Amino acid sequence: MMKRDIFTSGFGVLAATLGSAVGLGNIWKFPALTGLNGGAAFLVIYLLSTLMAGLPVMIAELMLGRRSRSDALTTFRVLHPQRESWGLIGAVGVLSAFLILAFYTEVAGWVFAYVFKSVTGSILSTDPTVTSAAFAKLIADPVQSIFWQFLVIIFVGCIIVAGVSKGIEKTTKRLMPMLFLILVMIGIRSLMLPGAAEGLTFLFRPDFSKVTGAVVLTAMGLAFFKLSVGMGTMITYGSYFTEDQDIPMTALRVMVADLTVSLLAGIAIFPAVFTYGFKPEAGPALLFITIPAVFSQMPFGTIFVVLFFVLGAIASTGAMLSIMEVPVAYLHQRFGLSRFKATAMTVVLLALVGSTAALSNSTLAGFKLFGMTMFDLYDFLTSNLLLPLGGFFLSLFAGWVWGEKKVRSALSNEGTLANRTVVSFFLFQVKYVAPVIIIVILLRGLKLI
Ligand code: PFF
């Protein structure tokens, strides 16, 4: 049997797992969705979904992955050979990986482009109509869109080829501390602005009048997307954990750190938005149109714009590594392909699927399914449907199918950790709370009940 490459240290485990969770979700999706859906009210629902659905599913995934020491699909075959159909969770997970990467690499492509363009100054202006035109020009240009996306895909592919410990672990260990440092710097700068109080009020005072079934589903979808759960990413990473790693504790730490990054991003963005009279409801454009305009108005603004996009590039890299690892680990283990071949196949396939998202604002702008461009469709399908569904079945599998005794011994590291209460609480969550909440929110959000 091939020797499995695994994460080598506790800090490596944390950096890689947190690197997966922290990403464009924190600085692109979280502020955009919070701004669109009523600020703190959305934040509260997102927090509850994270605690009650996201966290238990994350623990379940890490646990199953470490037990099986296998990829997202094979895990179910190893742990429950009696019934092959559970493997569908992993199969849908691999599909989700491609769909998420398709639009994610495009947004990351814009971020990488903006690092370059903010250094050269070509996207900088204090006038939002100018920054808006600059962004429109980038996304409407098929050549640039494809160029930046492919660049990102190849970049991530190169790190993946280097392996689990020498590629993923080494990279994220270096990047994560940098990310925190930059974020804190921008946050402090933003808090010194005159509109800071108004921005913070927006972020922390709830307005429940905006909350509908669809908004609740969006908040739960964000919770899954944020923690990278519901599609086998954490199963795959769990399979690289050492046996002595405390899984519930690691998951909790990652969740807290990830929330901190989102809040810091909110604290960096909203005060600035209010200070210069912008609207928080700008949606996805917040990052690419509002941020350059807002930050350009501050003294030393250019430096902060550059820093902000470097932050985005760092954050997105750790997340993309973890998503790409899902199909690569599967191809590697299941078909015995070398890491290089498995990555090359993934990269080529991804370039094909991804280009349909990249061209959504240009060549394929008129091509819509269910009224959405491919870019929007992949985003909607994964966050609001496939991840919650994956989370639902994962919690059923971990809570009801695999067996309580096995869960107890897996999460207590065969009784060596004194965490009985924590594990009992987890079992209750994963058996009753998570599946019920997920299915109710899902059906209601889709207007099926
Ligand atoms: N958690 C990442 C973010 O918030 O940007 C995105 C992500 C990574 C989603 C890995 C899903 C996944 F499997």
Side-chain angles (χ1 to χ4, degrees):
M1 210 178 117
M2 276 183 287
K3 192 170 164 346
R4 259 179 102 76
D5 188 7
I6 61 170
F7 298 136
T8 55
S9 67
F11 178 59
V13 162
L14 204 62
T17 317
L18 185 59
S20 166
V22 169
L24 294 171
N26 306 63
I27 55 168
W28 174 62
K29 267 196 166 207
F30 171 80
L33 293 176
T34 310
L36 275 172
N37 297 306
F42 181 82
L43 185 59
V44 171
I45 304 169
Y46 161 64
L47 275 177
L48 290 176
S49 322
T50 301
L51 281 173
M52 292 195 284
L55 184 64
V57 173
M58 182 176 197
I59 297 176
E61 283 198 31
L62 292 172
M63 165 186 85
L64 298 172
R66 187 174 64 180
R67 246 320 173 251
S68 69
R69 294 269 175 228
S70 300
D71 62 79
L73 250 150
T74 315
T75 284
F76 296 94
R77 200 165 332 125
V78 170
L79 298 181
H80 194 65
Q82 303 86 315
R83 192 177 261 221
E84 295 246 329
S85 44
W86 284 105
L88 263 176
I89 302 179
V92 175
V94 174
L95 173 75
S96 303
F98 279 103
L99 296 183
I100 292 188
L101 276 177
F103 73 87
Y104 206 93
T105 50
E106 179 55 16
V107 183
W110 299 337
V111 171
F112 278 65
Y114 264 53
V115 172
F116 176 72
K117 287 171 193 273
S118 53
V119 172
T120 61
S122 64
I123 50 135
L124 295 177
S125 166
T126 51
D127 179 357
T129 49
V130 176
T131 56
S132 161
F135 182 56
K137 197 169 145 219
L138 169 66
I139 66 174
D141 178 349
V143 178
Q144 280 209 61
S145 303
I146 294 280
F147 170 80
W148 288 106
Q149 180 184 44
F150 283 14
L151 191 82
V152 165
I153 294 177
I154 291 169
F155 170 65
V156 175
C158 289
I159 305 177
I160 289 279
V161 168
V164 175
S165 53
K166 296 211 175 71
I168 300 175
E169 181 178 354
K170 207 165 140 193
T171 310
T172 49
K173 259 168 143 172
R174 290 205 183 127
L175 292 184
M176 292 318 282
M178 256 158 74
L179 181 135
F180 271 93
L181 192 74
I182 298 181
L183 198 53
V184 169
M185 272 165 57
I186 301 179
I188 293 178
R189 179 69 193 85
S190 214
L191 282 177
M192 286 170 5
L193 294 169
E198 209 180 333
L200 294 184
T201 310
F202 174 77
L203 193 57
F204 294 113
R205 185 190 295 154
D207 168 11
F208 283 97
S209 68
K210 291 228 170 109
V211 175
T212 61
V215 168
V216 177
L217 177 58
T218 305
M220 182 173 74
L222 179 66
F224 281 106
F225 186 86
K226 277 300 325 111
L227 289 183
S228 316
V229 296
M231 52 170 275
T233 304
M234 289 298 159
I235 296 183
T236 311
Y237 268 21
S239 77
Y240 305 139
F241 274 37
T242 49
E243 291 295 332
D244 58 356
Q245 195 71 37
D246 184 342
I247 287 179
M249 200 43 142
T250 307
L252 190 70
R253 280 201 187 121
V254 167
M255 184 202 80
V256 172
D258 178 60
L259 281 174
T260 310
V261 173
S262 290
L263 289 177
L264 281 174
I267 289 172
I269 293 174
F270 289 114
V273 167
F274 280 94
T275 300
Y276 297 106
F278 287 88
K279 292 255 171 302
E281 301 95 4
L286 196 58
L287 182 57
F288 298 100
I289 298 173
T290 315
I291 293 294
V294 163
F295 282 54
S296 296
Q297 315 209 0
M298 312 194 303
F300 304 109
T302 310
I303 299 175
F304 285 94
V305 179
V306 175
L307 275 181
F308 205 91
F309 287 103
V310 169
L311 173 80
I314 293 179
S316 63
T317 301
M320 290 187 288
L321 285 172
S322 71
I323 316 178
M324 201 186 268
E325 183 62 21
V326 174
V328 170
Y330 169 65
L331 292 171
H332 178 58
Q333 180 165 354
R334 176 77 176 76
F335 300 104
L337 297 183
S338 69
R339 247 187 114 74
F340 181 78
K341 276 201 186 133
T343 312
M345 267 182 74
T346 305
V347 162
V348 171
L349 198 60
L350 176 60
L352 286 175
V353 188
S355 51
T356 62
L359 298 176
S360 276
N361 293 300
S362 50
T363 324
L364 296 178
F367 183 72
K368 293 191 176 164
L369 277 179
F370 308 106
M372 289 180 260
T373 62
M374 291 305 104
F375 182 99
D376 292 332
L377 183 69
Y378 298 155
D379 185 4
F380 177 83
L381 249 171
T382 47
S383 286
N384 290 7
L385 201 68
L386 296 181
L387 297 188
L389 264 183
F392 174 72
F393 286 110
L394 271 159
S395 45
L396 290 189
F397 183 82
W400 297 97
V401 178
W402 198 43
E404 191 173 323
K405 246 177 86 189
K406 291 187 192 145
V407 170
R408 285 197 182 276
S409 92
L411 288 183
S412 66
N413 296 354
E414 332 304 332
T416 54
L417 296 174
N419 61 357
R420 271 193 78 87
T421 330
V422 172
V423 176
S424 302
F425 185 66
F426 163 75
L427 272 162
F428 175 72
Q429 292 257 47
V430 86
K431 272 177 127 157
Y432 306 102
V433 183
V436 172
I437 286 191
I438 296 172
I439 209 70
V440 170
I441 295 184
L442 193 59
L443 294 178
R444 209 148 160 115
L446 298 174
K447 298 212 173 69
L448 296 173
I449 51 169

